[in-house]
Amino acid sequence: MIAHTANIRPGWLVQSSTARDLAVATATFALTLVVLADAHGSSRGLDALGVVLAAVSSFPLIARRRSSLGVFAVTAAASATLNGLGYALGPPFGPTVALFYVAADERNRLRVARTAAVVVGIFAIHVAASAGAHSGFPTSAVLFGIVVWGSAWTVGDQVRQRRRRRVETEERLRRAEREIERERRLAAAEERTRIARDLHDSAAHAINVILVQAGAARLLQKRDPDAVRAALSTIEEVARETVGEIDLLVRGLREENEAGRVPTVEPPPGLAALDTLADRYRAGGLAIDVHVDGHVRPLPRGLDQAAYRIVQESLTNAARHGDGVARVDVRFADRGLRLTVTNPISATTGISTATGGHGILGMRERASLLGGTLEARRDRDAFCVQARLPYSGEEAG
């Protein structure tokens, strides 16, 4: 139904415009006949030829949308002929209306020289025709014609400029709408990237903890039942939390895909949960030593979350590839936060610091988005992750 209406609407617009142009042409023809019927001061009264010339000076206005300058030339030529044959002088209604259309037509702005030549030439023909048919030079008629045609041109040019401003405003609005849509899509893409990164971090952390706890439970199932129960409790807690977080992330992605909106997902915790994170890894058998230096200060949310994820991923790598020991150093420097996670590794452990898999790539991306840097390097029998995260976009000290 909507498409059908859209197809019909242009036809209605064309019919309405044609009807309006016909009404203007008819009114112009009627006014011209009124002037010609007043034979006072003229050598010729209204006759059949005058009616025909009046019609030629008026009804071509119907075609003004095809060529406004051509319509002006035809109507003005007919009007000049009326003056030259001695009909009553009066306002040339047809050419005046046509000149208004010429000035309002944007196409004529691209043909300024030709338009000016046609208008000036036809005005001169008008003056010459009037002077030849009447005794003496028609000064008042010429001055009146200059005022009338000048006013018609000025009004038409103002209409053209207003129409052009309206078109430009509509185009700016369309561009603004496209920019808003593009920003919305970029925001959705960035949010999906963040969700995927958080999903990787959460899943990697949970699987690693579950793996360590399950291994400890298997080894201690006969010697230390209490430790086994604690390990199983940790597995249950981590699995429940991870399932809930993954469900939240996936639901956000699904809602964005179905409804076309940016999902709202609960952000990850910050450094305030660092002790809880360390205790969970300690329960899995990783001996962690945490040191915090400097004046502890509130951190921006993005920085706080990124710092937590970097430490979490580093400890996951330490538990997976290390020798069971890790050290976390958090330093609140003057201009930025510095994180260092170090763990010993065996000589046979293979870790690529160039790419480092998705984990190290994700950490580097988090640091880069905050204007910071992250370095992951292997130094003989130790692996170190060091991040510098500025507080407000400047280089961390």
Side-chain angles (χ1 to χ4, degrees), residues 20-87:
R20 186 164 56 249
D21 293 339
L22 178 60
V24 171
T26 303
T28 303
F29 175 65
L31 291 173
T32 303
L33 292 180
V34 171
V35 172
L36 295 179
D38 183 10
H40 178 72
S42 62
S43 59
R44 189 168 184 169
L46 180 62
D47 53 16
L49 179 60
V51 173
V52 172
L53 291 174
V56 175
S57 70
S58 303
F59 285 107
L61 294 173
I62 300 174
R64 57 98 177 180
R65 299 180 188 275
R66 294 184 178 180
S67 175
S68 58
L69 191 59
V71 168
F72 171 72
V74 172
T75 56
S79 179
T81 302
L82 285 171
N83 289 345
L85 293 177
Y87 288 97

Side-chain angles (χ1 to χ4, degrees), residues 105-363:
D105 193 342
E106 187 68 32
R107 295 171 296 181
N108 295 321
R109 303 301 297 179
L110 304 177
R111 305 185 290 262
V112 178
R114 186 175 69 178
T115 302
V118 171
V119 173
V120 173
I122 289 180
F123 183 76
I125 292 174
H126 249 281
V127 173
S130 299
H134 298 80
S135 59
F137 187 79
T139 305
S140 59
V142 170
L143 294 178
F144 184 73
I146 292 175
V147 172
V148 172
W149 279 20
S151 300
W153 180 272
T154 301
V155 174
D157 190 62
Q158 292 296 320
V159 170
R160 180 194 62 81
Q161 294 183 27
R162 185 177 63 181
R163 186 186 301 125
R164 185 174 185 177
R165 286 193 296 268
R166 183 172 66 249
V167 171
E168 291 175 350
T169 301
E170 292 174 354
E171 178 60 27
R172 284 197 298 269
L173 290 176
R174 285 193 292 269
R175 285 200 302 267
E177 291 176 355
R178 289 195 295 267
E179 287 296 323
I180 291 174
E181 178 63 17
R182 188 176 70 87
E183 293 295 331
R184 190 200 68 80
R185 292 182 179 275
L186 286 176
E190 292 175 358
E191 184 67 10
R192 286 195 295 269
T193 301
R194 184 186 71 81
I195 290 173
R197 192 164 52 235
D198 289 341
L199 182 61
H200 167 270
D201 294 343
S202 299
H205 162 67
I207 292 173
N208 185 73
V209 172
I210 291 173
L211 177 63
V212 173
Q213 295 289 345
R218 179 177 57 82
L219 295 174
L220 299 175
Q221 59 181 337
K222 294 182 179 180
R223 291 183 297 169
D224 193 347
D226 293 336
V228 172
R229 282 192 295 269
L232 293 176
S233 298
T234 302
I235 290 175
E236 182 181 6
E237 178 186 356
V238 171
R240 185 182 297 110
E241 291 179 0
T242 304
V243 168
E245 186 171 356
I246 290 177
D247 179 67
L248 185 63
L249 294 173
V250 173
R251 185 168 64 249
L253 285 175
R254 184 180 298 114
E255 289 175 355
E256 196 280 333
N257 288 331
E258 293 176 354
R261 63 178 181 83
V262 179
T264 301
V265 180
E266 186 68 23
L271 289 180
L274 182 58
D275 291 337
T276 302
L277 180 67
D279 290 340
R280 181 169 294 170
Y281 278 99
R282 291 189 185 105
L286 181 64
I288 301 177
D289 192 10
V290 179
H291 291 270
V292 179
D293 297 327
H295 178 66
V296 178
R297 55 182 289 178
L299 298 174
R301 187 177 66 175
L303 172 60
D304 197 21
Q305 296 167 3
Y308 176 87
R309 288 303 196 193
I310 289 173
V311 173
Q312 182 188 56
E313 180 64 28
S314 299
L315 291 178
T316 297
N317 289 336
R320 184 182 302 167
H321 305 293
D323 290 344
V325 179
R327 177 184 173 92
V328 178
D329 290 291
V330 180
R331 180 187 172 195
F332 289 84
D334 293 336
R335 292 183 297 174
L337 184 70
R338 299 187 64 174
L339 302 173
T340 305
V341 180
T342 308
N343 62 277
I345 55 177
S346 63
T348 58
T349 300
I351 300 179
S352 173
T353 60
T355 59
H358 294 291
I360 294 179
L361 285 177
M363 290 190 291

